[in-house]
Amino acid sequence: MIIAKENKPTRQIEIDLSGPQGNAFMLIGMANKWSKQLGFDSKEIQDDMTSGDYDHLLSVIEKYFGDYVIMYK
């Protein structure tokens, strides 16, 4: 089937923060990977993620990758 690009369903990445994926180091690694894939400045994002506490790290992920990622507590 061929469909218009704007009708393409979006696939969300789901992250269970209560499991191993919720580890701060794992989240930073995933964000680095996503940054490179999307052409973002991974160093700037990582510096922002590590400049505060865990909740700040999550807010940075939401800021940059909220269109692609769903996080569950």
Side-chain angles (χ1 to χ4, degrees):
M1 171 191 319
I2 299 175
I3 60 173
K5 229 180 198 182
E6 57 272 0
N7 294 332
K8 177 182 171 193
T10 58
R11 293 186 186 161
Q12 297 282 326
I13 299 168
E14 296 185 9
I15 299 174
D16 179 1
L17 297 174
S18 65
Q21 288 182 322
N23 177 287
F25 294 108
M26 183 166 252
L27 291 169
I28 291 168
M30 288 189 283
N32 281 329
K33 177 183 166 187
W34 301 329
S35 297
K36 292 172 185 169
Q37 290 173 338
L38 295 168
F40 297 160
D41 183 350
S42 60
K43 171 101 172 85
E44 176 184 331
I45 293 172
Q46 183 173 343
D47 288 347
D48 192 5
M49 291 174 79
T50 57
S51 69
D53 61 7
Y54 185 76
D55 287 329
H56 177 74
L57 181 144
L58 297 178
S59 70
V60 173
I61 291 174
E62 180 65 29
K63 175 181 169 183
Y64 289 98
F65 310 108
D67 290 340
Y68 311 102
V69 175
I70 297 175
M71 296 180 282
Y72 299 100
K73 284 190 174 185

Coordinates of all heavy atoms in Angstrom, one line a residue:
M1 N 0.8 -1.2 0.0 CA 0.0 0.0 0.0 C 0.9 1.2 0.0 O 1.9 1.3 0.7 CB -0.9 0.0 1.2 CG -1.6 1.2 1.4 SD -2.5 1.5 3.0 CE -3.2 -0.1 3.4
I2 N 0.5 2.2 -0.8 CA 1.3 3.5 -0.8 C 0.4 4.6 -0.2 O -0.8 4.7 -0.6 CB 1.6 3.9 -2.2 CG1 2.5 2.8 -2.9 CG2 2.3 5.3 -2.3 CD1 2.8 3.0 -4.3
I3 N 0.9 5.3 0.8 CA 0.2 6.4 1.4 C 1.0 7.6 1.4 O 2.2 7.6 1.2 CB -0.2 6.0 2.9 CG1 1.0 5.8 3.7 CG2 -1.1 4.8 2.9 CD1 0.8 5.6 5.2
A4 N 0.3 8.8 1.6 CA 1.0 10.1 1.7 C 1.9 10.1 2.9 O 1.5 9.6 4.0 CB 0.0 11.2 1.7
K5 N 3.0 10.8 2.8 CA 4.0 10.9 3.9 C 3.3 11.5 5.2 O 3.6 11.1 6.3 CB 5.1 11.8 3.5 CG 6.5 11.2 3.8 CD 7.5 12.2 3.3 CE 8.8 11.4 3.2 NZ 9.9 12.3 2.8
E6 N 2.5 12.5 5.0 CA 1.8 13.1 6.1 C 0.8 12.2 6.8 O 0.4 12.5 7.9 CB 1.2 14.5 5.7 CG 0.2 14.4 4.6 CD 0.7 14.5 3.2 OE1 2.0 14.7 3.1 OE2 0.0 14.5 2.3
N7 N 0.4 11.2 6.2 CA -0.5 10.2 6.8 C 0.2 9.0 7.4 O -0.4 8.1 7.9 CB -1.5 9.7 5.8 CG -2.5 10.8 5.3 OD1 -2.7 11.8 6.0 ND2 -2.9 10.7 4.1
K8 N 1.5 9.0 7.4 CA 2.3 8.0 7.9 C 2.1 7.9 9.4 O 2.2 8.9 10.1 CB 3.8 8.2 7.6 CG 4.7 7.2 8.2 CD 6.2 7.6 7.9 CE 7.1 6.6 8.7 NZ 8.5 7.1 8.7
P9 N 1.8 6.7 9.9 CA 1.6 6.6 11.4 C 2.9 6.8 12.1 O 4.0 6.3 11.7 CB 1.1 5.2 11.6 CG 1.4 4.4 10.3 CD 1.6 5.5 9.2
T10 N 2.9 7.5 13.2 CA 4.1 7.7 14.0 C 4.2 6.6 15.0 O 3.3 6.1 15.6 CB 4.0 9.0 14.8 OG1 2.9 9.0 15.6 CG2 3.9 10.2 13.9
R11 N 5.5 6.1 15.1 CA 5.8 5.0 16.0 C 6.5 5.6 17.2 O 7.5 6.2 17.1 CB 6.6 4.0 15.4 CG 5.9 3.3 14.3 CD 6.8 2.1 13.8 NE 6.1 1.5 12.6 CZ 6.7 0.8 11.7 NH1 8.0 0.5 11.8 NH2 6.0 0.3 10.7
Q12 N 5.9 5.5 18.4 CA 6.5 6.0 19.6 C 7.4 5.0 20.2 O 7.1 3.8 20.2 CB 5.4 6.4 20.6 CG 4.5 7.5 20.1 CD 5.1 8.9 20.2 OE1 5.8 9.1 21.2 NE2 4.8 9.7 19.3
I13 N 8.5 5.4 20.7 CA 9.4 4.6 21.5 C 8.9 4.6 22.9 O 8.7 5.7 23.5 CB 10.9 5.1 21.4 CG1 11.3 5.1 20.0 CG2 11.8 4.3 22.4 CD1 12.6 5.9 19.8
E14 N 8.6 3.5 23.5 CA 8.1 3.4 24.9 C 9.2 3.0 25.8 O 10.0 2.1 25.6 CB 7.0 2.4 24.9 CG 5.8 2.8 24.1 CD 4.6 1.8 24.3 OE1 4.7 0.9 25.2 OE2 3.7 2.0 23.5
I15 N 9.3 3.8 26.9 CA 10.4 3.6 27.9 C 9.7 3.5 29.3 O 9.0 4.4 29.7 CB 11.4 4.8 28.0 CG1 12.1 4.9 26.6 CG2 12.4 4.6 29.1 CD1 13.0 6.1 26.5
D16 N 9.9 2.3 29.9 CA 9.4 2.1 31.3 C 10.5 2.6 32.2 O 11.6 1.9 32.4 CB 9.2 0.6 31.5 CG 8.6 0.2 32.9 OD1 8.5 1.2 33.7 OD2 8.4 -1.0 33.1
L17 N 10.2 3.7 32.9 CA 11.2 4.3 33.8 C 11.5 3.5 35.0 O 12.5 3.7 35.7 CB 10.8 5.7 34.1 CG 10.8 6.7 32.9 CD1 10.2 8.0 33.4 CD2 12.1 6.9 32.3
S18 N 10.6 2.6 35.4 CA 10.7 1.8 36.6 C 11.6 0.6 36.3 O 12.0 -0.1 37.3 CB 9.4 1.3 37.1 OG 8.7 0.5 36.2
G19 N 11.9 0.3 35.1 CA 12.8 -0.8 34.7 C 14.2 -0.4 34.4 O 14.6 0.8 34.6
P20 N 15.0 -1.3 33.8 CA 16.4 -1.0 33.4 C 16.5 0.2 32.5 O 17.5 0.9 32.5 CB 16.9 -2.3 32.8 CG 15.9 -3.3 33.0 CD 14.6 -2.7 33.5
Q21 N 15.5 0.4 31.6 CA 15.5 1.5 30.7 C 15.5 2.9 31.4 O 15.8 3.9 30.8 CB 14.4 1.4 29.7 CG 14.5 0.3 28.7 CD 13.4 0.4 27.7 OE1 12.2 0.7 28.1 NE2 13.6 0.1 26.4
G22 N 15.0 2.9 32.6 CA 14.9 4.1 33.4 C 16.2 4.6 34.0 O 16.3 5.6 34.6
N23 N 17.3 3.8 33.9 CA 18.6 4.1 34.5 C 19.1 5.3 33.7 O 19.1 5.4 32.5 CB 19.5 2.9 34.2 CG 20.9 3.2 34.7 OD1 21.7 3.9 34.1 ND2 21.3 2.6 35.8
A24 N 19.6 6.3 34.5 CA 20.0 7.6 33.9 C 21.1 7.4 32.9 O 21.1 8.1 31.8 CB 20.6 8.5 35.0
F25 N 22.1 6.5 33.1 CA 23.1 6.3 32.1 C 22.5 5.7 30.8 O 23.0 6.0 29.7 CB 24.2 5.4 32.7 CG 25.0 6.1 33.8 CD1 24.8 5.6 35.1 CD2 25.8 7.1 33.6 CE1 25.4 6.3 36.2 CE2 26.5 7.8 34.6 CZ 26.3 7.3 35.9
M26 N 21.6 4.8 31.0 CA 20.9 4.2 29.8 C 20.2 5.3 29.0 O 20.2 5.3 27.8 CB 20.0 3.1 30.2 CG 19.4 2.4 29.0 SD 18.6 0.8 29.5 CE 19.8 -0.3 28.7
L27 N 19.5 6.1 29.7 CA 18.7 7.2 29.1 C 19.7 8.2 28.3 O 19.4 8.6 27.2 CB 17.9 8.0 30.1 CG 16.7 7.2 30.7 CD1 16.1 8.0 31.9 CD2 15.6 7.0 29.6
I28 N 20.8 8.5 28.9 CA 21.8 9.4 28.3 C 22.3 8.7 27.0 O 22.4 9.3 26.0 CB 22.9 9.7 29.2 CG1 22.4 10.6 30.4 CG2 24.1 10.4 28.5 CD1 23.4 10.8 31.5
G29 N 22.6 7.4 27.1 CA 23.0 6.7 25.9 C 22.0 6.7 24.8 O 22.4 6.9 23.6
M30 N 20.7 6.4 25.1 CA 19.7 6.4 24.1 C 19.6 7.8 23.5 O 19.4 8.0 22.3 CB 18.4 6.0 24.7 CG 18.3 4.5 25.0 SD 16.7 3.9 25.5 CE 16.6 4.5 27.2
A31 N 19.6 8.9 24.4 CA 19.5 10.2 23.8 C 20.7 10.6 22.9 O 20.4 11.3 21.9 CB 19.5 11.2 25.0
N32 N 21.9 10.1 23.2 CA 23.0 10.3 22.3 C 22.7 9.7 20.9 O 23.0 10.3 19.9 CB 24.3 9.8 22.9 CG 24.9 10.7 23.9 OD1 24.7 11.9 23.9 ND2 25.5 10.1 24.9
K33 N 22.2 8.5 21.0 CA 21.9 7.7 19.7 C 20.8 8.5 18.9 O 21.0 8.7 17.7 CB 21.4 6.3 20.1 CG 21.0 5.5 18.9 CD 20.5 4.1 19.3 CE 19.7 3.4 18.2 NZ 19.1 2.2 18.7
W34 N 19.8 8.9 19.6 CA 18.7 9.6 18.9 C 19.1 10.9 18.4 O 18.8 11.3 17.3 CB 17.5 9.8 19.9 CG 16.9 8.6 20.4 CD1 16.8 7.4 19.8 CD2 16.3 8.5 21.7 NE1 16.2 6.5 20.7 CE2 15.8 7.1 21.8 CE3 16.0 9.3 22.7 CZ2 15.2 6.6 22.9 CZ3 15.4 8.9 23.9 CH2 14.9 7.5 24.0
S35 N 20.0 11.6 19.1 CA 20.5 12.9 18.7 C 21.3 12.8 17.4 O 21.1 13.6 16.4 CB 21.5 13.5 19.7 OG 20.9 13.7 20.9
K36 N 22.1 11.8 17.3 CA 22.9 11.5 16.0 C 21.9 11.2 14.9 O 22.1 11.7 13.8 CB 23.9 10.5 16.3 CG 25.0 10.9 17.2 CD 25.9 9.8 17.6 CE 26.9 10.3 18.6 NZ 27.7 9.2 19.2
Q37 N 20.9 10.4 15.2 CA 20.0 10.0 14.1 C 19.2 11.2 13.6 O 18.8 11.2 12.4 CB 19.0 8.9 14.6 CG 19.7 7.6 14.9 CD 18.8 6.6 15.5 OE1 17.8 6.9 16.2 NE2 19.1 5.3 15.4
L38 N 18.9 12.1 14.5 CA 18.0 13.3 14.1 C 18.8 14.5 13.8 O 18.3 15.5 13.4 CB 17.1 13.6 15.3 CG 16.0 12.5 15.6 CD1 15.4 12.8 17.0 CD2 15.0 12.4 14.5
G39 N 20.2 14.4 13.8 CA 21.0 15.5 13.5 C 21.1 16.6 14.5 O 21.4 17.8 14.2
F40 N 20.8 16.3 15.8 CA 20.9 17.2 16.9 C 22.3 17.2 17.4 O 23.1 16.3 17.2 CB 19.9 16.9 18.0 CG 18.5 16.9 17.7 CD1 17.6 16.2 18.5 CD2 18.0 17.6 16.6 CE1 16.2 16.3 18.2 CE2 16.7 17.7 16.3 CZ 15.8 17.0 17.1
D41 N 22.7 18.3 18.2 CA 24.0 18.3 18.9 C 24.0 17.5 20.1 O 23.4 17.9 21.2 CB 24.3 19.8 19.2 CG 25.6 20.0 19.8 OD1 26.3 19.0 20.1 OD2 26.0 21.2 19.9
S42 N 24.5 16.3 20.0 CA 24.4 15.3 21.1 C 25.2 15.8 22.4 O 24.8 15.6 23.5 CB 24.9 14.0 20.7 OG 26.3 14.0 20.3
K43 N 26.3 16.5 22.2 CA 27.1 17.1 23.3 C 26.3 18.1 24.1 O 26.3 18.1 25.3 CB 28.4 17.7 22.8 CG 29.2 18.4 23.8 CD 30.3 17.6 24.3 CE 31.2 18.5 25.2 NZ 30.8 18.5 26.6
E44 N 25.6 19.0 23.4 CA 24.8 20.0 24.0 C 23.7 19.4 24.8 O 23.4 19.8 26.0 CB 24.2 20.9 23.0 CG 23.3 22.0 23.5 CD 22.7 22.8 22.4 OE1 23.3 23.0 21.4 OE2 21.5 23.3 22.6
I45 N 23.0 18.4 24.2 CA 21.9 17.7 24.9 C 22.4 16.9 26.1 O 21.8 17.0 27.2 CB 21.2 16.8 23.9 CG1 20.5 17.6 22.9 CG2 20.2 15.9 24.7 CD1 19.8 16.8 21.7
Q46 N 23.5 16.2 26.0 CA 24.1 15.5 27.1 C 24.5 16.4 28.2 O 24.3 16.1 29.4 CB 25.3 14.6 26.7 CG 25.8 13.8 27.8 CD 26.9 12.8 27.4 OE1 27.1 12.6 26.2 NE2 27.7 12.3 28.3
D47 N 25.1 17.5 27.9 CA 25.5 18.5 28.9 C 24.3 19.0 29.7 O 24.3 19.2 30.9 CB 26.3 19.7 28.3 CG 27.7 19.3 27.9 OD1 28.1 18.2 28.2 OD2 28.3 20.1 27.1
D48 N 23.2 19.3 28.9 CA 21.9 19.7 29.5 C 21.4 18.6 30.4 O 20.9 18.9 31.6 CB 20.9 20.1 28.5 CG 19.7 20.9 29.0 OD1 19.7 21.2 30.2 OD2 18.8 21.2 28.2
M49 N 21.4 17.4 30.0 CA 20.8 16.3 30.7 C 21.6 16.1 32.0 O 20.9 15.7 33.0 CB 20.9 15.0 29.9 CG 20.0 14.9 28.7 SD 20.2 13.5 27.7 CE 19.3 12.3 28.7
T50 N 22.9 16.3 32.0 CA 23.7 16.0 33.2 C 23.8 17.3 34.1 O 24.6 17.2 35.1 CB 25.0 15.5 32.8 OG1 25.7 16.4 32.0 CG2 24.9 14.1 32.2
S51 N 23.2 18.3 33.8 CA 23.3 19.6 34.6 C 22.4 19.7 35.7 O 22.4 20.7 36.5 CB 23.1 20.8 33.7 OG 21.8 20.9 33.3
G52 N 21.5 18.7 35.9 CA 20.6 18.7 37.0 C 20.3 17.3 37.6 O 21.1 16.4 37.4
D53 N 19.2 17.2 38.2 CA 18.8 15.9 38.8 C 18.1 15.0 37.8 O 18.0 15.3 36.6 CB 18.0 16.1 40.1 CG 16.7 16.8 39.8 OD1 16.3 17.1 38.6 OD2 16.0 17.1 40.8
Y54 N 17.6 13.9 38.3 CA 16.9 12.9 37.4 C 15.7 13.5 36.7 O 15.5 13.3 35.5 CB 16.6 11.6 38.2 CG 16.0 10.5 37.4 CD1 16.8 9.7 36.6 CD2 14.6 10.2 37.4 CE1 16.3 8.7 35.9 CE2 14.1 9.2 36.7 CZ 14.9 8.4 35.9 OH 14.4 7.4 35.2
D55 N 14.9 14.3 37.5 CA 13.7 14.9 36.9 C 14.1 15.9 35.8 O 13.4 16.0 34.7 CB 12.9 15.6 37.9 CG 12.2 14.6 38.8 OD1 11.8 13.5 38.3 OD2 11.9 14.9 40.0
H56 N 15.2 16.6 35.9 CA 15.7 17.5 34.9 C 16.1 16.7 33.6 O 15.8 17.1 32.5 CB 16.9 18.3 35.4 CG 17.5 19.2 34.3 ND1 16.8 20.3 33.9 CD2 18.6 19.1 33.6 CE1 17.5 20.9 32.9 NE2 18.6 20.2 32.7
L57 N 16.8 15.5 33.9 CA 17.2 14.7 32.8 C 15.9 14.2 31.9 O 15.9 14.3 30.7 CB 17.9 13.4 33.3 CG 18.4 12.4 32.3 CD1 19.7 11.8 32.8 CD2 17.4 11.3 32.1
L58 N 14.9 13.9 32.7 CA 13.6 13.5 32.0 C 13.0 14.6 31.2 O 12.5 14.5 30.1 CB 12.6 12.9 33.0 CG 13.1 11.6 33.7 CD1 12.0 11.2 34.7 CD2 13.4 10.5 32.7
S59 N 13.1 15.8 31.8 CA 12.5 17.0 31.1 C 13.3 17.3 29.8 O 12.7 17.8 28.9 CB 12.4 18.2 32.0 OG 13.7 18.7 32.3
V60 N 14.6 17.1 29.8 CA 15.4 17.3 28.6 C 15.0 16.3 27.5 O 14.9 16.7 26.4 CB 16.9 17.3 28.9 CG1 17.7 17.3 27.7 CG2 17.3 18.4 29.9
I61 N 14.8 15.1 27.9 CA 14.4 14.1 27.0 C 13.0 14.5 26.4 O 12.8 14.4 25.2 CB 14.3 12.7 27.6 CG1 15.7 12.1 27.9 CG2 13.6 11.7 26.7 CD1 15.7 10.8 28.7
E62 N 12.1 14.9 27.2 CA 10.8 15.4 26.8 C 10.9 16.5 25.8 O 10.3 16.6 24.8 CB 9.9 15.7 28.0 CG 8.5 16.2 27.6 CD 7.7 15.1 27.0 OE1 7.9 13.9 27.2 OE2 6.8 15.4 26.2
K63 N 11.8 17.5 26.2 CA 12.0 18.7 25.3 C 12.5 18.3 23.9 O 12.0 18.8 22.9 CB 13.0 19.6 26.0 CG 13.4 20.8 25.2 CD 14.5 21.6 26.0 CE 15.1 22.7 25.2 NZ 16.2 23.4 26.0
Y64 N 13.5 17.5 23.8 CA 14.1 17.2 22.5 C 13.4 16.0 21.8 O 13.4 16.0 20.6 CB 15.6 16.9 22.7 CG 16.4 18.1 23.0 CD1 16.8 18.4 24.3 CD2 16.8 19.0 22.0 CE1 17.5 19.5 24.6 CE2 17.5 20.1 22.3 CZ 17.9 20.4 23.6 OH 18.6 21.5 23.8
F65 N 12.9 15.0 22.5 CA 12.5 13.8 21.9 C 11.0 13.4 22.2 O 10.6 12.3 22.0 CB 13.4 12.6 22.3 CG 14.9 12.9 22.2 CD1 15.7 13.1 23.2 CD2 15.4 13.0 20.9 CE1 17.0 13.4 23.1 CE2 16.7 13.3 20.7 CZ 17.6 13.5 21.8
G66 N 10.3 14.4 22.8 CA 8.9 14.2 23.2 C 8.0 13.7 22.1 O 7.0 13.1 22.3
D67 N 8.3 14.1 20.9 CA 7.5 13.7 19.7 C 7.7 12.2 19.4 O 6.9 11.7 18.6 CB 7.8 14.6 18.5 CG 7.4 16.0 18.6 OD1 6.5 16.3 19.5 OD2 7.9 16.9 17.9
Y68 N 8.8 11.7 19.9 CA 9.2 10.3 19.5 C 9.1 9.3 20.6 O 9.1 8.1 20.4 CB 10.6 10.3 18.9 CG 10.8 11.3 17.9 CD1 11.5 12.5 18.2 CD2 10.4 11.2 16.6 CE1 11.7 13.5 17.3 CE2 10.6 12.2 15.6 CZ 11.3 13.3 16.0 OH 11.5 14.3 15.1
V69 N 9.1 9.8 21.9 CA 9.3 8.9 23.0 C 8.1 9.1 24.0 O 7.7 10.2 24.2 CB 10.6 9.2 23.7 CG1 10.7 8.4 25.0 CG2 11.8 9.0 22.8
I70 N 7.6 8.0 24.5 CA 6.7 8.0 25.6 C 7.3 7.3 26.8 O 7.9 6.2 26.7 CB 5.4 7.2 25.3 CG1 4.7 7.9 24.1 CG2 4.5 7.1 26.5 CD1 3.5 7.1 23.6
M71 N 7.4 8.0 28.0 CA 8.0 7.5 29.2 C 6.9 7.2 30.2 O 5.9 8.0 30.4 CB 9.0 8.5 29.7 CG 10.1 8.8 28.8 SD 11.3 10.0 29.5 CE 10.5 11.5 29.2
Y72 N 7.0 6.0 30.8 CA 6.1 5.6 31.8 C 6.8 5.5 33.2 O 7.9 4.9 33.2 CB 5.5 4.2 31.5 CG 4.7 4.2 30.2 CD1 5.3 3.7 29.1 CD2 3.4 4.6 30.1 CE1 4.7 3.6 27.9 CE2 2.7 4.6 28.9 CZ 3.4 4.1 27.8 OH 2.7 4.0 26.6
K73 N 6.1 6.0 34.3 CA 6.7 5.9 35.6 C 6.0 4.7 36.3 O 5.0 4.3 36.0 CB 6.4 7.1 36.4 CG 7.3 8.2 36.1 CD 7.2 9.3 37.1 CE 8.2 10.4 36.7 NZ 8.2 11.5 37.7

